[in-house]
Amino acid sequence: MAYSTISKPSLHFNTKLYTGNASSRTISGIGFQPDFTWTKNRGNDDNNYLFDAVRGTTKYLISDSTAVEGTTSGITGWNADGYTLGSSAGLNANGVTACSWNWKAGGGAGSANTDGSINTTSTSVNTTAGFSISKYTGTGSAGTIGHGLGVKPDFWQVKATSETRAWYGWHKDLALGDVINFSSSGAKSTDTSLFTNTAPTTSVINLGNSVGTNNNGITFVCYAFAEKKGYSKFGSYKGNGNANGTFIYTGFKPAFVIVKIAEHSGNWIMYDNKRNPHNLMNEYLYVNAYQAAASDSEGFDFLSNGFKMRNTFGDANTVNNKYIYMAFAEEPLVANVGASIPATAR
């Protein structure tokens, strides 16, 4: 039996739904102080706005864009149970339905990490939940940055904040030297000038000399994740092209899942347990698209121990194609050795 390392996942990750009112307000009920808040307008076509405590309040990046870091009256502060939301029309327009996905890192801006050849300006890390946020300045020469996780990361995304660049990332079920990015629907590619074909270690990520991840004098942010049993899973599966689709075992009841076809063009598709509290889950959003939430007659099922395709989407379940995913738990299948009640299906 695979017991969870985290008995209550909602103390490290949680989704929050809200309706905009065009006024500054507190969004509460998250259950912890977030360090990374990803917000999305569900009701209207709009961007995905990403805020974190390392870069500071009001500063955002857009996952569906190559744009530089911007400033808005979006997240103006974090607190012990959520965050303060400003009057930004993109996040808090009157009557608009919206959602945020929230992760706990180290509880604030963090401090410099000197494990790599390139010191981070600041790294905020949650080793229990396997998540860190790092800010660094590129040198133009291949080097390493410390991630602080204490174990090898399984997934990361890097974004230049002070110049226009795409997002660039890696997933453990891709080959070393492969790259896949949030801001594009494109297939994975190989470019060892972005990330070298040297495996990440328990302390560092290996950067090439590309302007995309290491341009001299340019600031970057890196979001890095490591799998934790019963809480998070980073893996891959083969689609079967059938509405009675592939089942993916995670070892927990999922709260949030992102899927991306690896070797062909296709969107990063997102489902969560708050927008879709019951199976069949058919409201989806895209990481890489300026688009409102959409729904379909097909979708996903979240189960007590994983998730199952109930679709024939090119973005999630075409026959024999490889898909990568990241998933976070609502509830572990079995919380710990002493637990007597396993997770139940929805």
Side-chain angles (χ1 to χ4, degrees):
M1 178 66 69
Y3 298 105
S4 177
T5 58
I6 295 175
S7 60
K8 194 170 183 181
S10 61
L11 294 180
H12 300 273
F13 169 82
N14 212 342
T15 301
K16 180 67 178 179
L17 307 183
Y18 64 90
T19 301
N21 67 4
S23 299
S24 180
R25 58 196 289 210
T26 297
I27 303 296
S28 59
I30 290 171
F32 57 87
Q33 179 172 318
D35 296 298
F36 177 38
T37 298
W38 178 337
T39 58
K40 183 69 180 75
N41 183 329
R42 299 164 61 202
N44 297 328
D45 289 348
D46 209 336
N47 299 114
N48 292 264
Y49 293 94
L50 282 60
F51 299 83
D52 67 71
V54 170
R55 291 180 298 112
T57 59
T58 73
K59 297 177 181 179
Y60 67 87
L61 291 168
I62 299 173
S63 67
D64 51 281
S65 172
T66 62
V68 299
E69 178 182 85
T71 302
T72 185
S73 58
I75 306 256
T76 58
W78 286 274
N79 58 58
D81 193 36
Y83 54 88
T84 303
L85 184 66
S87 58
S88 169
L91 305 176
N92 195 21
N94 191 44
V96 166
T97 56
C99 61
S100 68
W101 304 284
N102 302 273
W103 286 262
K104 180 180 180 179
S111 58
N113 181 299
T114 59
D115 291 339
S117 62
I118 301 170
N119 294 338
T120 70
T121 309
S122 190
T123 296
S124 180
V125 60
N126 180 346
T127 56
T128 300
F131 174 55
S132 72
I133 308 165
S134 296
K135 182 179 178 180
Y136 67 94
T137 300
T139 65
S141 299
T144 59
I145 55 166
H147 51 69
L149 296 171
V151 295
K152 294 179 181 181
D154 295 305
F155 178 76
W156 66 74
Q157 288 284 322
V158 167
K159 176 71 178 73
T161 63
S162 56
E163 70 176 0
T164 300
R165 296 288 174 191
W167 293 75
Y168 296 105
W170 182 80
H171 185 285
K172 73 178 184 67
D173 284 355
L174 300 179
L176 293 172
D178 280 355
V179 179
I180 197 158
N181 73 72
F182 270 174
S183 50
S184 171
S185 62
K188 62 95 175 175
S189 60
T190 301
D191 188 342
T192 56
S193 72
L194 290 163
F195 307 109
T196 72
N197 56 5
T198 302
T201 72
T202 57
S203 58
V204 299
I205 290 169
N206 295 276
L207 304 177
N209 60 3
S210 170
V211 295
T213 56
N214 196 13
N215 199 8
N216 187 38
I218 299 302
T219 56
F220 295 84
V221 68
C222 175
Y223 301 114
F225 298 85
E227 186 174 301
K228 295 294 180 178
K229 186 180 296 182
Y231 167 74
S232 61
K233 188 76 174 174
F234 301 85
S236 60
Y237 64 90
K238 285 285 186 72
N240 69 1
N242 193 305
N244 182 16
T246 303
F247 166 73
I248 299 92
Y249 177 82
T250 60
F252 53 79
K253 182 193 298 185
F256 177 62
V257 173
I258 300 179
V259 165
K260 172 72 174 77
I261 189 169
E263 294 164 347
H264 300 280
S265 180
N267 295 301
W268 298 77
I269 192 167
M270 300 187 283
Y271 290 86
D272 66 65
N273 63 343
K274 299 294 177 66
R275 290 179 296 122
N276 295 278
H278 307 288
N279 293 332
L280 175 88
M281 305 175 65
N282 63 354
E283 182 184 304
Y284 58 89
L285 287 162
Y286 289 137
V287 173
N288 58 289
Y290 180 94
Q291 183 174 312
S295 60
D296 199 279
S297 60
E298 299 179 324
F300 285 24
D301 281 349
F302 279 4
L303 307 173
S304 64
N305 59 351
F307 60 102
K308 183 176 175 64
M309 299 296 109
R310 295 292 188 185
N311 65 75
T312 56
F313 300 156
D315 291 332
N317 191 31
T318 50
V319 64
N320 289 328
N321 277 313
K322 178 180 179 178
Y323 294 84
I324 57 172
Y325 70 87
M326 56 189 291
F328 295 88
E330 173 186 348
E331 181 182 2
L333 181 58
V334 180
N336 52 55
V337 175
S340 58
I341 303 174
T344 56
R346 289 152 59 87

